């Protein structure tokens, strides 16, 4: 028991009661009771009566429970002198699922009946408590930044920004681009509190930084119709005011021609940029060649028929822009150049990575289009489930050890790794970050980036040894490819560095097997590994787009069989409508891609299993809730939030299953 005078003295130092006078402090102290908690004890769970709590001794953490993912994540921490629970008592709703004591602790508590009685009987209590809570709210709003209101009829340049977002995205998210300044874009939303719309727009506008504003519904409808009435799906290269120029690796710069083969290349590049393509494929042929672009993972034709002679001239032009030898067409070549797009007084830079390959019919060239901004996105924007984003952030912010991002080629591992580095940097900008990459994909102003170049002796092993003498806190290794890179990465991780890298595996658990195959000893692996993030990409539905899918749908039944949906699922999913007209509108309900994530937090228990040489099956079967969020669980979250179509998820889990009759038919044949 705490003496009443001690309670009163302690209440005086709590910021929540800073405005209370001595008599009022005494009244509050009389209503408080003390209660002890052991480490691991829970309080304020969902369904239980609330209470205003003041921490006297020990530490307590607030956790958020996400049922779809079967995951508990810490969202706040409370230390002696801090309070919690008052807002929930007033609002009737908690911002967390429960509070847990992380050690032996002591609380002063004002239970709900006494709290309500003070509110009813003491006008000073309710007024001063609300004032304190309002002050806390204002501080939070100031920290986060309030969303201003924008009047569209006062924006004379509105039309010049209309091409930055597709019309269907603007309609689905009820938004318009209302300004641009360098690398920053300003977007007006009818409902700025719509987290999914904001996430979708931020993804569609990547890699620009996005500022938000609120706009009026009526003004949005008026200007949206006016701006998008005459927009076509792609823009011709002859649009007045659009200038393309390239900068070669040697520094030579030239404006791209509008005539001949160079003019065709110019038009193809502009069309690829307008469609948001990640790659432009220039494909040869004996008489007729063609060009295709990759948009959101799918290949679309962009020029079905190009004379073969023009295609050869275009590929030669591309090699000249990369400073490559045009005479050695029988050898694969890698290079790149910088493309500058100038329009309406604004200039955008695009890095183009080029790969040429001799093949039947001539040479094929693939041009990867990369916007070289450093602000590639945040983990909380990439990972849609807030609790899972919090868990992933906690893993990548480990003080030391190995964190892996795995998945197939082209699934966005580099984007996730760069987002992880930004999360680390935002948390602690006083650290030294060094990356070893092949190639360097984006410029990170807060990191020292090193390019592997075996031709000059800059091999991975030599660079990593040199980097470790540069006093790094965090090292990003682009990819663990062989036994040497695995040994060096593990060695760096167990000597006090945080090492981030990637692997090509299909799941988080398989990363343990792959490192074992690369010769990493179990006792070193258990000491080093902190967590694994695995990912795949699927097309994303526009907010509110598509048609309803009921629980009786065959695809829903198949998702139940593979464990994505529960057997008793009776909700509603969404998919793109069938029978859309030919052309771009086939994919009108989908725009961009979203990651499907699996996250494994390697706890002490899992690390002991690794050290004891447990098999993958033993590790997986013994996983506890919160240690892993599976692909199945995250897929269910995306489906129930109507972020992806069920057919897209089904493909991730598709497998060949033969019934007894099929097996017998194969054997007898």
């Amino acid at each position: 028991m705490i003496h009443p005078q001690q309670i009163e003295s302690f209440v005086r130092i709590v910021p929540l009661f800073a405005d209370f006078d001595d008599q009022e402090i005494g009244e509050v102290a009389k209503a408080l009771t003390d209660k002890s908690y052991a480490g691991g004890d829970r309080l304020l769970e969902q369904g239980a009566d609330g209470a205003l709590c003041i921490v006297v001794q020990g530490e307590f953490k607030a956790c958020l429970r996400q049922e779809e993912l079967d995951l508990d994540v810490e969202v706040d921490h409370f230390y002696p002198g801090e309070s919690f629970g008052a807002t929930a008592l007033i609002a009737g709703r908690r911002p967390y699922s429960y509070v847990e004591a992380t050690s032996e602790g002591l609380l002063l508590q004002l239970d709900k009946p006494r709290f309500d009685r003070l509110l009813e009987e003491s006008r000073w209590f309710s007024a001063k408590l609300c004032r304190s809570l309002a002050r806390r709210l204002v501080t939070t709003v100031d920290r986060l930044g309030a969303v201003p209101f924008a009047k569209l009829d006062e924006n004379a340049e509105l039309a010049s920004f209309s091409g930055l977002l597709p019309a269907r995205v603007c309609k689905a998210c009820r938004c318009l681009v209302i300004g641009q300044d360098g690398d920053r874009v300003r977007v007006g939303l009818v409902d700025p509190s719509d987290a999914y719309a904001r996430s979708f727009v931020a993804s569609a506008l990547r890699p620009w930084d996005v500022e938000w504003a609120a706009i009026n519904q009526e003004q949005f409808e008026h200007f949206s119709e006016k701006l998008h009435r005459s927009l076509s799906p792609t823009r011709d290269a002859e649009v007045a005011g659009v200038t393309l120029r390239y900068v070669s690796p040697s520094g030579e710069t030239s404006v791209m021609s509008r005539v001949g083969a160079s003019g065709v290349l110019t038009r193809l590049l502009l069309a690829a940029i307008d469609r948001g393509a990640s790659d432009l494929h220039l494909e040869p042929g004996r008489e007729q060649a063609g060009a295709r672009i990759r948009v959101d993972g799918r290949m679309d034709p962009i020029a079905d028929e190009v004379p073969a002679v023009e295609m050869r001239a275009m590929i030669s032009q591309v090699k000249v822009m990369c400073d490559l030898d045009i005479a050695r067409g029988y050898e694969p070549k890698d290079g790149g150049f910088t493309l500058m797009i100038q329009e309406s007084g604004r200039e955008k830079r695009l890095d183009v990575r080029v790969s040429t390959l001799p093949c039947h019919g001539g040479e094929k060239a693939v041009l990867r289009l990369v916007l070289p901004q450093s602000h590639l996105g945040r983990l909380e924007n990439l990972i849609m489930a807030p609790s899972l984003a919090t868990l992933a952030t906690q893993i990548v912010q480990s003080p030391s050890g190995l964190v892996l991002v795995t998945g197939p080629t082209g699934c966005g591992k580099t984007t996730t790794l760069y987002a992880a580095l930004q999360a680390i940097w935002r948390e602690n900008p006083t650290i030294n970050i060094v990356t070893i990459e092949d190639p360097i994909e984006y410029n990170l102003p807060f990191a020292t980036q090193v390019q592997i170049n075996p031709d000059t002796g800059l091999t991975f092993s030599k660079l990593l040894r040199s980097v470790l003498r540069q006093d790094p806190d965090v090292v990003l290794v682009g990819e663990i490819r062989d036994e040497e890179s695995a040994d060096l990465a593990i060695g760096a991780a167990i000597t006090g560095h945080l090492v981030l890298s990637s692997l090509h595996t299909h799941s988080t658990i398989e990363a343990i097997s792959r490192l074992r195959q690369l010769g990493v000893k179990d006792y070193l692996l258990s000491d080093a590994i902190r967590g694994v993030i695995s990912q795949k990409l699927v097309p994303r539905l526009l907010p509110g787009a598509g048609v309803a899918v009921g629980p009786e749908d065959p695809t829903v039944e198949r998702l139940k069989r593979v464990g994505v949906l529960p057997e008793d699922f009776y909700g509603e999913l969404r998919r793109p409508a069938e029978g859309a007209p030919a052309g771009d509108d086939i994919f009108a309900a989908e725009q961009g891609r979203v990651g499907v994530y699996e996250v494994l937090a390697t706890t002490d228990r899992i690390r002991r299993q690794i050290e004891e040489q447990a098999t993958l099956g033993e590790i997986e079967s013994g996983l506890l809730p919160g240690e892993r969020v599976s692909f199945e669980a995250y897929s269910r979250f995306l489906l129930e939030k109507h972020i992806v179509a069920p057919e897209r998820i089904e493909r991730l889990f598709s497998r060949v299953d033969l019934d007894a009759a099929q097996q017998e038919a194969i054997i007898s044949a």
Side-chain angles (χ1 to χ4, degrees):
M1 290 288 293
I2 305 179
H3 191 276
Q5 278 191 327
Q6 290 179 304
I7 295 178
E8 193 170 322
S9 298
F10 196 83
V11 171
R12 293 180 191 279
I13 66 172
V14 177
L16 186 65
F17 304 113
D19 294 336
F20 287 45
D21 60 29
D22 290 344
Q23 181 179 349
E24 293 162 350
I25 290 287
E27 291 294 321
V28 172
K30 290 177 184 178
L32 291 169
T33 57
D34 60 298
K35 186 173 182 180
S36 299
Y37 292 89
D41 285 350
R42 290 188 178 183
L43 63 151
L44 303 187
E45 294 188 84
Q46 294 290 355
D49 286 339
L52 190 162
C53 301
I54 300 169
V55 183
V56 179
Q57 295 175 1
E59 299 177 11
F60 294 79
K61 65 178 181 180
C63 295
L64 182 65
R65 174 73 179 169
Q66 188 141 357
E67 295 295 344
E68 304 102 317
L69 304 178
D70 190 27
L71 178 67
D72 294 348
V73 175
E74 179 184 329
V75 294
D76 210 342
H77 214 92
F78 307 110
Y79 300 93
E82 296 184 329
S83 62
F84 57 90
T87 305
L89 282 175
I90 294 174
R93 189 178 66 177
R94 299 190 184 97
Y96 39 76
S97 301
Y98 62 86
V99 176
E100 181 179 302
T102 59
S103 61
E104 289 188 5
L106 178 64
L107 292 178
L108 294 175
Q109 295 184 186
L110 183 61
D111 61 26
K112 183 169 174 42
R114 295 184 182 185
F115 183 87
D116 290 342
R117 191 159 52 248
L118 278 173
L119 285 178
E120 293 173 3
E121 298 176 356
S122 306
R123 295 182 61 185
W124 54 265
F125 178 75
S126 56
K128 292 190 175 182
L129 184 64
C130 288
R131 188 181 305 143
S132 294
L133 293 175
R135 187 183 302 118
R136 184 183 297 179
L137 177 62
V138 168
T139 302
T140 302
V141 170
D142 287 343
R143 189 178 72 249
L144 296 178
V147 177
F149 183 81
K151 292 185 178 181
L152 300 185
D153 53 6
E154 296 177 358
N155 192 334
E157 297 183 320
L158 202 59
S160 63
F161 310 122
S162 59
L164 296 179
L165 269 180
R168 62 178 185 268
V169 174
C170 294
K171 181 179 179 181
C173 299
R174 294 190 300 163
C175 70
L176 290 172
V177 179
I178 59 177
Q180 182 193 3
D181 182 13
D183 297 340
R184 191 173 297 275
V185 172
R186 193 166 183 233
V187 176
L189 282 164
V190 172
D191 182 8
S193 65
D194 188 338
Y196 288 106
R198 287 172 62 148
S199 172
F200 196 98
V201 172
S203 176
L205 285 172
R206 191 185 305 153
W208 283 297
D209 276 335
V210 181
E211 291 181 347
W212 306 103
I215 57 177
N216 178 274
Q217 170 74 30
E218 289 76 16
Q219 285 196 342
F220 162 74
E221 292 175 354
H222 171 73
F223 283 94
S224 178
E225 181 182 358
K226 179 180 177 181
L227 292 171
H228 297 134
R229 186 181 301 141
S230 60
L231 288 181
S232 58
T234 59
R235 178 178 57 195
D236 188 86
E238 302 299 331
V239 171
V242 181
T243 302
L244 287 187
R245 61 186 178 90
Y246 73 87
V247 182
S248 70
S250 61
E252 179 185 350
T253 182
S254 178
V255 175
M256 295 190 65
S257 173
R258 300 297 183 99
V259 297
S262 294
V264 176
L265 178 61
T266 301
R267 287 191 291 274
L268 290 176
L269 283 169
L270 267 178
I273 294 166
D274 278 350
R275 293 276 298 275
S278 60
D279 302 86
L280 169 62
H281 290 237
L282 304 179
E283 301 174 325
R286 290 293 184 184
E287 296 180 359
Q288 293 291 335
R292 293 190 295 168
I293 55 175
R294 185 177 294 279
V295 181
D296 297 338
R298 68 179 186 270
M299 295 291 292
D300 291 338
I302 196 170
D304 292 327
E305 294 186 358
V306 177
V309 63
E310 279 196 353
M311 180 61 72
R312 288 193 291 271
M314 275 197 292
I315 292 177
S316 295
Q317 173 68 23
V318 168
K319 294 169 78 171
V320 168
M321 295 159 71
C322 298
D323 290 338
L324 297 177
D325 188 350
I326 62 173
R328 303 176 70 88
Y330 53 84
E331 291 181 354
K333 293 288 184 181
D334 293 322
F337 59 91
T338 299
L339 196 64
M340 310 301 292
I341 308 123
Q342 190 165 13
E343 180 180 8
S344 302
R346 298 188 301 274
E347 190 169 64
K348 180 169 65 176
R349 172 183 167 183
L350 197 72
D351 283 344
V352 183
R353 295 204 301 270
V354 176
S355 172
T356 66
L357 180 70
C359 61
H360 182 71
E363 277 185 282
K364 175 177 178 176
V366 177
L367 286 67
R368 172 150 291 185
L369 312 176
V370 182
L371 284 162
Q373 275 80 353
S374 60
H375 38 275
L376 295 172
R378 301 189 175 205
L379 279 176
E380 57 266 32
N381 290 336
L382 298 176
I383 302 178
M384 305 293 293
S387 58
L388 188 57
T390 301
L391 176 63
T393 302
Q394 291 172 352
I395 291 173
V396 302
Q397 290 177 345
S398 300
S400 63
L402 176 66
V403 176
L404 294 170
V405 177
T406 77
T409 300
C411 71
K413 296 188 294 295
T414 300
T415 299
T416 300
L417 284 169
Y418 278 36
L421 287 182
Q422 292 196 38
I424 295 168
W425 176 255
R426 288 196 305 270
E427 179 69 17
N428 185 4
T430 64
I431 59 176
N432 180 22
I433 300 176
V434 184
T435 74
I436 302 173
E437 303 173 71
D438 183 22
I440 295 174
E441 297 201 30
Y442 302 98
N443 174 48
L444 299 176
F446 53 79
T448 301
Q449 296 176 271
V450 186
Q451 167 79 52
I452 291 175
N453 189 349
D455 294 339
T456 60
L458 294 179
T459 62
F460 169 82
S461 56
K462 183 175 182 179
L463 281 175
L464 184 53
R465 290 188 178 95
S466 298
V467 162
L468 294 178
R469 293 193 289 270
Q470 290 280 310
D471 187 32
D473 299 290
V474 179
V475 179
L476 169 65
V477 177
E479 182 183 347
I480 294 178
R481 300 178 178 177
D482 49 34
E483 292 185 9
E484 183 181 32
S485 58
D487 285 340
L488 290 170
I490 291 289
I494 64 176
T495 54
H497 306 89
L498 177 61
V499 179
L500 277 66
S501 190
S502 68
L503 274 176
H504 290 285
T505 67
H506 295 290
S507 69
T508 53
I509 290 290
E510 287 180 18
I512 297 172
S513 174
R514 183 60 49 83
L515 290 174
R516 284 172 168 172
Q517 292 168 1
L518 292 175
V520 178
K521 303 297 183 184
D522 285 304
Y523 71 91
L524 294 175
L525 178 56
S526 66
D527 189 22
I529 194 162
R530 294 294 177 268
V532 185
I533 301 171
S534 192
Q535 63 186 84
K536 302 171 184 178
L537 289 178
V538 294
R540 179 176 180 174
L541 282 172
L542 281 166
V547 295
V549 179
E552 71 287 344
D553 190 271
T555 304
V556 174
E557 291 299 321
R558 289 191 290 270
L559 289 173
K560 289 180 180 179
R561 287 200 294 271
V562 297
V564 173
L565 296 175
E567 287 297 327
D568 59 351
F569 176 77
Y570 292 104
E572 181 183 279
L573 310 180
R574 298 192 75 81
R575 66 158 60 100
E578 296 180 2
D584 291 338
D585 288 340
I586 290 177
F587 303 99
E590 293 179 328
Q591 174 79 26
R593 291 187 290 174
V594 65
V596 183
Y597 289 90
E598 181 173 272
V599 177
L600 174 70
T602 49
T603 61
D604 291 339
R605 191 192 64 79
I606 295 176
R607 288 197 286 271
R608 283 195 300 271
Q609 284 187 298
I610 296 172
E611 187 173 5
E612 294 166 358
Q613 301 181 345
T615 66
L616 293 190
E618 291 170 340
I619 295 173
E620 188 162 17
S621 62
L623 288 172
L624 301 176
E627 290 181 332
R628 183 184 69 171
V629 175
S630 66
F631 278 124
E632 289 85 353
Y634 193 74
S635 296
R636 178 185 174 187
F637 168 83
L638 293 176
L639 288 168
E640 292 183 339
K641 298 295 185 182
H642 300 164
I643 297 172
V644 297
E647 288 77 11
R648 303 298 191 182
I649 295 298
E650 183 191 8
R651 292 178 189 175
L652 298 182
F653 298 94
S654 61
R655 59 188 181 216
V656 178
D657 287 327
L658 304 179
D659 58 28
Q662 290 173 313
Q663 295 179 36
E664 181 63 31
I666 292 172
I667 293 171
S668 60

